[in-house]
Amino acid sequence: MEETPLSYEEAINKAAGSLTRFPLTEVQGVPLMSPIAGQWSSISAFCPDPSDLLIATYPKAGTTWTQEIVDLLLHNGDEEICKRAPTVERIPFLEIQAPPPIPSGLQLLKFMKPPRVIKTHLPIQLVPEGFWENKCKVIYVARNAKDNLVSYYHFDRMNLTQPEPGPWDGYIQKFMRGNLGWGSWYDHVKGYWKEREKRNILYLFYEDMKENPRREVERIMHYLDLSLSDDIIDKIVQLTSFKVMKDNPMANYTFIPKIVFDQSISEFMRKGEVGDWTNHFTPAQSQMFDEDYKRQMADVDIPFRTSI
Ligand code: A3P
């Protein structure tokens, strides 16, 4: 009989010597952390159960927030049950791979019975076919490009397994060219947008969630065919506020040791705002970014907001 994998925290400490800022390797033209690319055939062969739910995002678009909302909705707002384990163990990250004995997303999933909630950052064309064949529900969360970029920049500073972000100005260029882990933000948000009706994807915006969290929690609830009382919905909104999640050790990623997430450089729960990009972009950078944005987004009309 196989042993249950170690917890993330224990395993990361054991693997300390083999952890590094992994380079990116392309899979079908999309740059991914090299350990993910190395296991690509088993990742793409993953077959979910029809009852499994996928939460898909470009990195730093509000994944953890949405994971917490979904977990609470599925457990009728029971705060204690939702503190049973850190996010990464409650809702495995499908494609994540790291040196042993850190459990991969696939290993964690093997030990969980459906219905499972699964996280991915894969662009739609790389999502394992089984999700579409089995008509799994998919929640996609998108965040406006400038705030998403700022958040990813700070994340790459503190996540010591991601490539070095380098200087801010160069990071903007990398983002615009799609030279970051999981590739182009532009292709990512467009890919899911174009397929959202055909594939019954619930497409959410971070800005809408900030503006009116209750409305968006209810949208998710309806999509999941759940019906919770008003009091429970209020409780979920409160438990998933930035402030409360920042202090929740099962949701704020303090369970990841400093050798991977160095929160003294930048906290995982950093600001949680719309419009922080104005504190980072110079007027010239903003203009250059906007001109390029128009070109890259010319074929779609996705209602992103950079302020609320
Ligand atoms: P900032 O870096 O702008 O603060 P992800 O979970 O996809 O990695 O996204 C992380 C971003 O979502 C971070 O953005 C983080 O602070 C923000 N976030 C996490 N929980 C949040 C919440 N409850 N409300 C608002 N923003 C949240």
Side-chain angles (χ1 to χ4, degrees), residues 57-65 121 143 147 151 206 210 240-242 245 268-273 276:
T57 55
Y58 189 75
K60 314 316 291 175
T63 328
T64 317
W65 188 7
H121 288 322
R143 185 177 193 182
D147 282 328
S151 184
Y206 181 96
K210 280 298 289 186
T240 55
S241 69
F242 180 76
M245 278 185 63
F268 185 91
M269 294 288 172
R270 196 183 59 88
K271 281 206 170 169
E273 285 172 6
D276 186 40

Side-chain angles (χ1 to χ4, degrees), residues 56-304:
T57 55
Y58 189 75
K60 314 316 291 175
T63 328
T64 317
W65 188 7
T66 310
Q67 287 174 284
E68 201 62 25
I69 293 172
V70 166
D71 200 29
L72 280 158
L73 282 169
L74 292 174
H75 293 96
N76 200 34
D78 189 324
E79 141 177 36
E80 291 316 312
I81 290 183
C82 294
K83 286 187 178 150
R84 68 196 176 282
T87 315
V88 76
E89 290 179 42
R90 284 180 280 149
I91 302 182
F93 185 1
L94 175 65
E95 65 268 23
I96 205 66
Q97 297 282 334
I102 302 175
S104 67
L106 294 178
Q107 277 171 314
L108 290 173
L109 284 164
K110 215 163 86 182
F111 288 95
M112 287 173 83
K113 281 204 204 91
R116 297 162 296 190
V117 185
I118 304 172
K119 157 188 165 177
T120 189
H121 288 322
L122 293 172
I124 195 162
Q125 73 276 18
L126 294 186
V127 169
E129 271 308 310
F131 283 96
W132 313 117
E133 284 161 7
N134 284 331
K135 300 200 175 349
C136 293
K137 287 187 178 168
V138 179
I139 298 177
Y140 186 77
V141 189
R143 185 177 193 182
N144 83 75
K146 285 171 161 172
D147 282 328
N148 206 142
L149 187 168
V150 167
S151 184
Y152 208 173
Y153 171 69
H154 290 293
F155 183 65
D156 281 351
R157 291 171 56 232
M158 66 80 97
N159 181 345
L160 307 180
T161 64
Q162 287 269 103
E164 284 279 359
W168 164 245
D169 199 53
Y171 197 84
I172 300 179
Q173 296 296 329
K174 284 190 214 171
F175 183 94
M176 286 169 17
R177 295 193 195 114
N179 287 340
L180 299 175
W182 290 276
S184 159
W185 174 92
Y186 310 85
D187 292 348
H188 210 284
V189 297
K190 286 198 271 188
Y192 284 91
W193 179 258
K194 288 177 182 165
E195 291 294 321
R196 71 194 190 288
E197 280 161 9
K198 202 165 95 205
R199 303 198 198 199
N200 183 31
I201 298 167
L202 179 67
Y203 199 103
L204 303 172
F205 293 94
Y206 181 96
E207 295 74 26
D208 292 348
M209 291 166 66
K210 280 298 289 186
E211 180 181 65
N212 190 339
R214 192 177 210 284
R215 179 189 62 206
E216 300 307 302
V217 167
E218 285 187 19
R219 285 185 71 195
I220 300 174
M221 179 182 79
H222 293 138
Y223 180 71
L224 299 180
D225 293 319
L226 296 170
S227 172
L228 275 54
S229 71
D230 278 355
D231 286 353
I232 302 274
I233 296 170
D234 285 341
K235 186 177 163 200
I236 293 176
V237 170
Q238 188 257 331
L239 288 171
T240 55
S241 69
F242 180 76
K243 214 166 158 291
V244 173
M245 278 185 63
K246 192 178 165 75
D247 289 336
N248 176 356
M250 291 299 135
N252 65 12
Y253 278 95
T254 48
F255 53 84
I256 301 274
K258 200 175 173 184
I259 45 168
V260 175
F261 280 6
D262 187 346
Q263 301 217 31
S264 69
I265 297 175
S266 179
E267 285 180 294
F268 185 91
M269 294 288 172
R270 196 183 59 88
K271 281 206 170 169
E273 285 172 6
V274 178
D276 186 40
W277 65 270
T278 55
N279 300 315
H280 290 76
F281 284 71
T282 64
Q285 285 168 342
S286 182
Q287 192 185 343
M288 176 271 306
F289 187 88
D290 291 348
E291 280 164 16
D292 176 76
Y293 184 93
K294 267 191 212 128
R295 278 192 296 275
Q296 296 215 50
M297 299 296 277
D299 56 331
V300 281
D301 187 13
I302 311 181
F304 279 111

